[in-house]
């Protein structure tokens, strides 16, 4: 069953049986989620399915990561809720298309590489927060509407729902111990569906969320005024949506890279996401991005190629066109059970085991990123806060590393050999190294093992030299790399110091 598939320069070993079954499983889990978020945002329900079809197909073929699944994700849809309430659907479609353009630009200019700046503790926090969100969202299926209010299920309805969810989880957990020929998630959905259908069990189904029957996504140009005022309205939403989509997408791509021990193409993924969102804006899709839960369902089902994503997208379209009466009867309990197992699999349990083995700042990062993800549902903000905090922690640790080795040569000149970077955070420690009052009339500050990094460092040097000048003493700088000299040259009005030329010294330390 294995063949080599070549899709646009990606050669892949494909097990067709595994890929098809994985694609069908993914489609089953995407449908209720896409419908739920479309309804939550106030969109027509079919917009969710159209988005999953368009995003899934385009990114499966053109994206930068085989095995990754994209669709109508809640992370990006949540951004558009306020715009929908204030300006309506046409502005939402325009914002989705503009977000796609922004993502394409980011991919073309190869800015996706900046995902490397996301530290591992931030990744842990992001993934753990997302796992909690996935789990918590499933609890809504244990509620029903009574007299216009959303209340928890009670009595027989609750027991049936809980029992079917437990059966689904049991099948997902136990079946792989017997056979891995078919995805356990798909088997669980089919078994629970058959049980409910033939025994006539009264429980919530996909039909209770929304109808999934419709036609092919219609072409539609957003009916908005092409004015600067319109751009001012939609641009902020588009920027946030683009940022959230790419953040979740590139983090998911990194996660898949780790699981599969292969390498994806972040910039290619940015372009594919952008192209898919532009199409969403013109074909009544609500937009989207890679979906980590469905991606993990896909990988756990054994998929490692692009085919499963294509099958999932085409399955969703086929269901919209022809299979709605059947899919609408699928019990929500089966889908909830699958998604709960996905949430458990998504959570980085290893992050709990290392709490006593890693620095406290890393533990703090994991917790704060997870909390922001869960409480605000803003993935981009969570990652941004995590990266900023990581940078500040790094700066603080680097600032403490600066030190000076002191010596006096045979001519009575005192040498300060500086170790560690001189930058904004280390300037205070740097200034404390010098004994202006007791030093001889001439000193040399040696930067062979250091680097002058920024304007704050230049100001610190200026302050030190002024202190020596006030008491009639002379300061020389030595072993400055070319870029450090350029910094000082550009700050001639600030620096008051002599730079010793050392013709025998060749800069070999520019990689600090």
């Amino acid at each position: 069953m294995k063949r080599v598939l070549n899709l646009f320069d990606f050669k892949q070993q494909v097990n067709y049986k595994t890929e098809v079954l994985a694609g069908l499983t993914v489609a089953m889990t995407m449908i209720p989620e896409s419908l739920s978020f479309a309804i939550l945002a106030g969109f027509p329900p079919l917009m969710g399915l159209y988005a999953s079809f368009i995003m899934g197909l385009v990114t499966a073929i053109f994206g930068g990561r085989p095995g990754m699944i994209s669709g109508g994700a809640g992370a990006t849809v949540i951004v558009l809720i306020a715009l929908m309430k204030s300006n309506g659907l046409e502005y939402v479609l325009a914002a989705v298309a503009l977000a796609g353009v922004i993502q394409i630009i980011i991919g073309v200019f190869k800015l996706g590489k900046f995902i490397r700046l996301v530290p591992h503790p931030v990744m842990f926090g992001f993934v753990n927060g997302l796992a909690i969100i996935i789990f918590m969202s499933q609890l809504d299926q244990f509620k029903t509407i009574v007299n216009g209010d959303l209340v928890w299920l009670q009595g027989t309805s609750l027991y049936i729902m809980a029992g079917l969810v437990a059966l689904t989880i049991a099948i997902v957990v136990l079946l792989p111990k017997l056979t891995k020929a078919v995805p356990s998630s798909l088997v669980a959905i089919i078994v629970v569906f058959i049980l409910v259908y033939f025994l006539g069990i009264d429980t919530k189904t996909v039909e209770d969320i929304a109808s999934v029957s419709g036609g092919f996504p219609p072409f539609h140009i957003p009916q908005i005024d092409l004015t600067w005022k319109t751009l001012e309205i939609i641009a902020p939403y588009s920027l946030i949506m683009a940022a959230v989509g790419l953040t979740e997408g590139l983090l998911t791509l990194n996660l898949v890279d780790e699981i599969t021990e292969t390498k994806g193409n972040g910039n290619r993924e940015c372009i594919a996401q952008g192209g898919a969102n532009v199409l969403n804006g013109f074909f009544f899709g609500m937009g989207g991005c890679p979906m980590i839960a469905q991606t993990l369902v896909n990988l756990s089902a054994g998929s490692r190629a692009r085919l499963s994503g294509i099958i999932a997208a085409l399955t969703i379209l086929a269901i919209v066109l022809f299979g709605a009466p059947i899919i609408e009867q699928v019990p929500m309990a089966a889908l909830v059970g699958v998604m709960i197992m996905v949430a458990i699999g998504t959570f980085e349990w290893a992050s709990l085991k290392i709490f006593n083995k890693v620095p406290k700042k890393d533990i703090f990062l994991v917790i704060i990123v997870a909390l922001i993800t869960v409480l605000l549902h803003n993935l981009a903000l969570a990652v941004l806060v995590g990266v900023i905090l990581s940078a500040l922690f790094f700066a603080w640790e680097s600032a403490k590393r600066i030190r000076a080795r002191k010596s006096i040569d045979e001519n009575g000149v005192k040498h300060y050999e500086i170790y560690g970077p001189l930058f904004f955070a280390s300037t205070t420690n740097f200034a404390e190294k010098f004994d202006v009052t007791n030093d001889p009339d001439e000193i040399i500050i040696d930067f062979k093992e250091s680097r002058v990094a920024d304007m704050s460092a230049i100001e610190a040097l200026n302050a030190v030299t002024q202190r020596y000048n006030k008491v009639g003493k002379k300061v020389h700088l030595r072993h400055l790399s070319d870029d450090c000299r350029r910094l000082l040259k550009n700050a001639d009005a600030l620096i008051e110091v002599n730079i010793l030329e050392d013709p025998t010294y060749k800069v070999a330390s520019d990689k600090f």
Side-chain angles (χ1 to χ4, degrees), residues 104-156:
I104 291 174
I105 292 173
I106 291 173
V108 168
F109 285 96
K110 302 185 184 301
L111 302 179
K113 61 186 177 183
F114 288 107
I115 194 65
R116 300 172 190 167
L117 296 177
V118 179
H120 217 65
V122 176
M123 284 279 289
F124 274 159
F126 164 80
V127 171
N128 290 350
L130 208 54
I132 294 171
I133 289 176
I134 293 170
F135 178 82
M136 295 298 292
S137 66
Q138 304 313 307
L139 298 182
D140 289 339
Q141 301 305 327
F142 287 86
K143 298 177 181 179
T144 187
I145 297 177
V146 177
N147 297 325
D149 297 323
L150 194 62
V151 298
W152 289 96
L153 293 174
Q154 295 181 351
T156 304

Side-chain angles (χ1 to χ4, degrees), residues 140-351:
D140 289 339
Q141 301 305 327
F142 287 86
K143 298 177 181 179
T144 187
I145 297 177
V146 177
N147 297 325
D149 297 323
L150 194 62
V151 298
W152 289 96
L153 293 174
Q154 295 181 351
T156 304
S157 297
L158 176 61
Y159 300 143
I160 291 175
M161 185 73 175
L164 292 175
V165 169
L167 175 61
T168 303
I169 293 174
I171 295 173
V172 173
V173 172
L174 298 177
L175 185 62
K177 298 180 180 180
L178 301 176
T179 178
K180 295 183 179 180
V182 291
S184 59
S185 298
L186 181 60
V187 173
I189 292 172
I190 293 174
V191 169
V192 174
F193 170 78
I194 293 174
L195 187 66
V196 169
Y197 184 80
F198 285 100
L199 294 182
I201 298 174
D202 183 20
T203 187
K204 187 188 296 186
T205 64
V206 172
E207 186 178 24
D208 294 321
I209 297 180
S211 171
V212 298
S213 178
F216 194 85
F219 177 73
H220 174 78
I221 299 176
Q223 301 300 303
I224 59 173
D225 295 327
L226 298 178
T227 63
W228 184 257
K229 183 177 180 181
T230 299
L231 183 62
E232 288 179 341
I233 293 173
I234 67 173
Y237 295 96
S238 297
L239 284 169
I240 297 173
M241 178 180 173
V244 170
L246 292 184
T247 299
E248 183 164 2
L250 294 175
L251 289 176
T252 303
L253 185 144
N254 275 7
L255 188 64
V256 178
D257 284 352
E258 291 182 11
I259 293 173
T260 62
E261 297 183 349
T262 56
K263 184 67 176 175
N265 187 323
N267 294 310
R268 177 170 173 169
E269 182 63 33
C270 292
I271 296 173
Q273 275 194 55
N277 275 321
V278 170
L279 289 176
N280 267 298
F282 290 97
F283 284 91
F284 258 106
M286 67 181 183
C289 66
M291 306 171 75
I292 191 169
Q294 279 68 26
T295 296
L296 291 172
V297 167
N298 190 43
L299 296 177
S300 65
S303 172
R304 293 296 182 272
R306 297 178 178 275
L307 185 59
S308 61
I310 297 172
I311 293 296
L314 294 177
T315 299
I316 290 173
L317 178 63
I319 288 171
V320 171
L321 297 177
F322 313 111
I326 297 176
I327 297 303
E328 287 174 353
Q329 300 308 311
V330 171
M332 285 303 303
L335 302 177
V336 168
V338 170
M339 295 306 293
I340 287 176
M341 291 307 300
V342 168
I344 293 173
T346 301
F347 195 91
E348 287 282 1
W349 299 101
S351 63

